[in-house]
Amino acid sequence: MSKDVKFVIKRRANPQSAPYIEEFLIPYFPKMNVVAALMEIQKNPVNTKGERTTPVAWDCNCLEEVCGACTMVINGQARQACSALVDQLTQPIYLAPLTKFPLVQDLVVDRKVMFDNLRKVKAWIEIDGTHDMGPGPRVSPKVQEQAYALSKCMTCGCCMEACPNVNSKSKFIGPAPIAQVDLMNSHPTGALQRERRLEALMNEGGIADCGNAQNCIKACPKEIPLTRSIARLNRATTFFGIKGWLNK
Amino acid sequence: MTVTHTFFWRKLHSLSGILPLGIFLMVHLFINSMATLGIEDFNRGVALLHSIPYLWFLELVVIFIPIIYHALYGVWLVYLTKNNTLNYRYFRNWLFYLQRVTAIITLLFVIWHVAVLRFSEGFINSNLDFEFVRTALNEPVILILYLFGMLASFGHFANGLWSFLVSWGVTVGEQAQRTAAYACFAVFIILTAVGINALLAFI
Amino acid sequence: MSGKVIVIGGGLAGLMSVIKLAERGQKVDLVSLVPCKRSHSVCAQGGINAAVNTKGEGDSTWEHFDDTIYGGDFLANQTPVKNMIEAAPSIINLMDRMGVQFNRTPEGFLDVRRLGGAKYSRTVFAGATTGQQLIYALDEQVRRYEDEGLVTRYEEWELLSIVRDEEGCCRGAVVQDMKSLEIQVFPADAVILATGGPGMIYVRSTNSTINTGFAAATAYMQGATYANGEFVQIHPSAIPGRDKLRLMSESIRGDGGRVWVYKDGKPWYFLEEWYPAYGNMVPRDIATRAIFKVCVDMKLGVDGENKVYLDITHLDPHEIDRKLAGVVDIYEKFIGDDPRKVPMETFPAVHYSMGGLWVDFNQMTNIPGLFAAGECEYQYHGANRLGGNSLVAAIYAGTVVGPKAFEYSNGLKQHYTDLPLALFERAKEREVAKQKALFAMQGQENPYKLHQELGEWMVNNVTVVRNNNQLLTTDQKIQELMERYKNIGVGNGAAWGNQILPFTRRLWGMLSLARVITLGAYHRNESRGAHYKPDYPERDDENWLKTTKAEWTANGPNFSYEPVDTSFIKPRKRRYDVAKEVTV
């Protein structure tokens, strides 16, 4: 069976230039995903009008949904292009870059802000040094399973894209770094720096900017319980805030 | 302290919707419901309210300042949002959007309601009584606007209550949040029933 | 401490070396082609080996050492391997302290699983995404040093070439911002390459698209020696895709998965039958060759293809979720079947390069001041790598190379600040000129199509079974591709965000390394580990217990050989049908 799959791609040469739409027809093959289709465009960059064009630029890397690089807006929703199978998508397939990050080119955006946010909230375990100090703290399998669910965050940006409160007007850091605070604070060693992270979360653009639309938990490809983390930290920051004020 | 004021103001915004505004909404509705008992009882209730000592002070601190704060900060929050219900058609996202829509409706409704009933009739003409309200509500347009405004404010309050429970870290787990959602829906239904009943008493 | 060290590569080895340097107060520039959290290390699934002996099985570092040397068919230098194995348990402890979410036993200790080529459970794991969890922890530690101002990250920057001074020492790196394609030179006292493997030479492999090996190739073309290039691991289990062959972790077998095909209408567990001592837990080269034999020679592959069943339907679904969720999810997402209910269908796929830049025991290449760590160097796996050893090798090499580069740069008589600026300017100008020449390429060939052709030839001729005449034809083909390369058209896109230009540059690196791999295999007339020639089916220690060393010349690689350090274990015959003899 040979049929073509139509891709409608929102393109832009650079952040200053105007966006435009370009369409491509790619011959279908079984188990085709969006990345494989974009690779076909690289090999034969000709649009539906038969014009030669520059190949579409996009980010990709692991192609098995663990690195988060190939996140883009596919048929209106943010997701990874590698795990977006053509058979499961309505056609034509609309591709657009993430809208919550500065555009680089075509489907490539700069998600540096997500890494900066991790720095802002101090998402690391403060160890004394890398010298041999014996094993870390003992942890029950149950606690590990909960923490592991949070530690799978690949900073892909789906939750940021889906969140109505993350946008150019607001300073909200978004759901991802909040869940990382939850992860670090739930670790026995990480808990020693718990208050510094709570303070960071209570800063401008912090947890209070969450409006409980709860799109994040639905948009997360790794099924991270983001809303639970947010609520848990709502409680922690509330107590921490009241206690801090009463002890002042 | 490195914690900026955003956190405080945001939390205060969430709180002010419940306390005092939510409480006031219920008291208000309760007084209105006296209309179901009869003309005399309603007028007595209104008179009783107006005879409270330091009324202007109470109104200012418990009602006007919180309302103005909640409204102004709320409008700012509405502005900060970029709604995306068309791409992310989830129930919660719709409620999030409706919370903002009802915010604006409620705000307009309250301004109109207060301007007419509290200021021009209450202060200036001092002829606020059952008869006045009945005349007004028998105007179909006004009745419909009232119904609309009430539904918006009850919805805004009930969903705001749910959101408050999450934002203050009361309901954390999915199950708890779901149960709270049912409870808040019940609050909405009860408020609506009581409100419509009170409204109909004037007709 | 006015010096500076540049680390190229933000995977496990690179990040660990950054931490070791920053811990010493050393300022570091970290250059990474992708944000560190997206490095290929995230793809490592099964776990990280260390003889922690927490199951009371009597494991020891000596056993782990012997398994590694034996599994590598005695090609690895034994001293660095022994040091690594002995450090492994403390590396696990360190990662544990950094907050890596390793699976736990009911008592709260680190859980361990078994991987191939071992008789003991010594693989610590975090579900089936261990590499991802490890790299996140290291990335977080580096972020902490970044916060303290010791580390400057250049993410989405690529190494173009190294700077060599008059004496040939490495004095910095010429790098490029991948957004603007702006070229800059970073002077330094030492450069550490931790840039991963060259799997993209094969195109279809379990590797990430960034694994072109370009950094190693550019160092090779500037005089760094490349060792054991012909040893490329073919993983027995992956699932096919036109864009990628997705790995199905060895831990699936480790946790009880069984490999079979139909024979006479009944399931035939050929690994269990042929290798009773190890069963499904034979090392990767052995399993892959067995699958090849069953599918190609005996024609028993599933659907007549090079495909076998990997079966976990008999395992407890809860245990599968707890230990294997990551891989099972990949299978479900990309194939659509539930492995808990239906046996998986898997293929062998190019996975890992045992070979890489030649380094001494201090992780320094033959170019003074240029260090290498991780998959881009050759040191720890010999002729075949055991599952779970790559993560420990990458992190361990980082712990060695950081301090060694620190020592080196502080021991220098002349720092980069004492050198004439012209040296660095010249290095930069060279790359600027090369880039200009690339932009001017307006021929008929499409670089992505040439790449695909290269991959097809390499997969067909330089993988599981190798024949000398095929290897020679492949080398001729590569040379033909190098000729056609000159006729590439890069289009007329602007510099900003241009992806074709960097790709075209990397393609030349891949072609150059492809020759090293192919000719290295051609010359090595024996069978050892992953390198198998039916014409020379036995290991030949007399002639080939040697490390292959390739040097770049304009006419292709020049090969020489050096003896292997066997100071601890005497080479013996490697077999997995019977239990390994005790060597202590």
Side-chain angles (χ1 to χ4, degrees), chain A residues 213-232:
Chain A
Q214 301 201 336
N215 288 347
C216 52
I217 194 167
K218 295 246 165 68
C220 177
K222 294 285 134 186
E223 290 158 3
I224 298 172
L226 292 158
T227 53
R228 176 183 276 268
S229 284
I230 292 172
R232 201 160 28 208

Side-chain angles (χ1 to χ4, degrees), chain A residues 33 43 58 61-65 67 82 104-105 125 127 129-130 136 139 144 148 151 153-155, chain C residues 20 23 37-38 96-97 101-102 129 133 141 144 208-210 243-244 246 333-334 446 496-497 499:
Chain A
N33 58 3
K43 286 179 211 144
W58 88 101
N61 191 6
C62 79
L63 306 187
E64 53 190 51
E65 214 192 61
C67 83
C82 63
V104 177
Q105 188 191 22
I125 304 284
I127 58 166
T130 57
V139 175
Q144 184 272 339
Y148 180 64
S151 68
C153 172
M154 52 190 185
T155 336
Chain C
K20 282 286 183 186
E23 208 170 45
K37 280 188 87 170
R38 312 202 198 288
D96 181 24
R97 280 170 54 220
Q101 296 299 332
F102 290 123
T129 60
Q133 297 302 310
Q141 294 299 320
R144 179 182 157 197
S208 295
T209 54
I210 46 169
D243 52 334
K244 183 183 192 186
R246 295 177 176 89
K333 269 194 180 150
F334 290 95
N446 177 310
W496 178 266
Q499 295 183 332

Side-chain angles (χ1 to χ4, degrees), chain A residues 12-237:
Chain A
R12 203 167 180 179
N14 58 59
Q16 288 80 39
S17 67
Y20 60 99
I21 300 289
E22 195 158 52
E23 298 183 356
F24 296 89
L25 280 173
I26 315 290
Y28 173 84
F29 52 85
K31 309 256 188 244
M32 181 184 195
N33 58 3
V34 170
V35 163
L38 288 168
M39 284 177 170
E40 292 304 313
I41 296 178
Q42 275 183 333
K43 286 179 211 144
N44 186 24
V46 175
N47 65 22
T48 41
K49 292 182 203 148
E51 301 160 344
R52 269 205 104 64
T53 175
T54 51
V56 179
W58 88 101
D59 252 345
C60 73
N61 191 6
C62 79
L63 306 187
E64 53 190 51
E65 214 192 61
V66 282
C67 83
C70 66
T71 312
M72 57 182 73
V73 177
I74 300 172
N75 287 349
Q77 292 201 355
R79 57 183 297 183
Q80 279 72 52
C82 63
S83 55
L85 301 185
V86 166
D87 290 337
Q88 295 162 7
L89 295 168
T90 47
Q91 294 176 22
I93 296 167
Y94 292 87
L95 305 183
L98 295 174
T99 60
K100 305 289 173 81
F101 305 94
L103 184 109
V104 177
Q105 188 191 22
D106 292 345
L107 303 172
V108 182
V109 295
D110 185 357
R111 280 167 283 182
K112 186 167 179 292
V113 63
M114 290 195 76
F115 302 108
D116 292 343
N117 287 340
L118 287 175
R119 199 165 134 187
K120 264 190 208 158
V121 300
K122 318 246 176 244
W124 55 76
I125 304 284
E126 207 137 320
I127 58 166
D128 288 347
T130 57
H131 47 284
D132 198 357
M133 300 273 284
R138 268 162 73 182
V139 175
S140 79
K142 198 179 151 215
V143 170
Q144 184 272 339
E145 273 168 50
Q146 285 170 357
Y148 180 64
L150 300 175
S151 68
K152 284 188 296 185
C153 172
M154 52 190 185
T155 336
C156 67
C158 284
C159 60
M160 307 277 281
E161 183 69 19
C163 178
N165 273 1
V166 172
N167 58 60
S168 52
K169 292 178 284 188
S170 117
K171 294 194 166 124
F172 186 34
I173 55 172
I178 299 176
Q180 292 310 296
V181 169
D182 193 24
L183 171 66
M184 298 301 154
N185 283 4
S186 67
H187 186 273
T189 314
L192 303 177
Q193 268 77 36
R194 176 179 175 273
E195 301 190 341
R196 280 176 60 195
R197 289 186 210 102
L198 292 183
E199 274 179 13
L201 271 193
M202 291 159 79
N203 250 313
E204 196 171 23
I207 189 167
D209 282 1
C210 168
N212 300 313
Q214 301 201 336
N215 288 347
C216 52
I217 194 167
K218 295 246 165 68
C220 177
K222 294 285 134 186
E223 290 158 3
I224 298 172
L226 292 158
T227 53
R228 176 183 276 268
S229 284
I230 292 172
R232 201 160 28 208
L233 284 161
N234 274 331
R235 179 181 292 178
T237 48

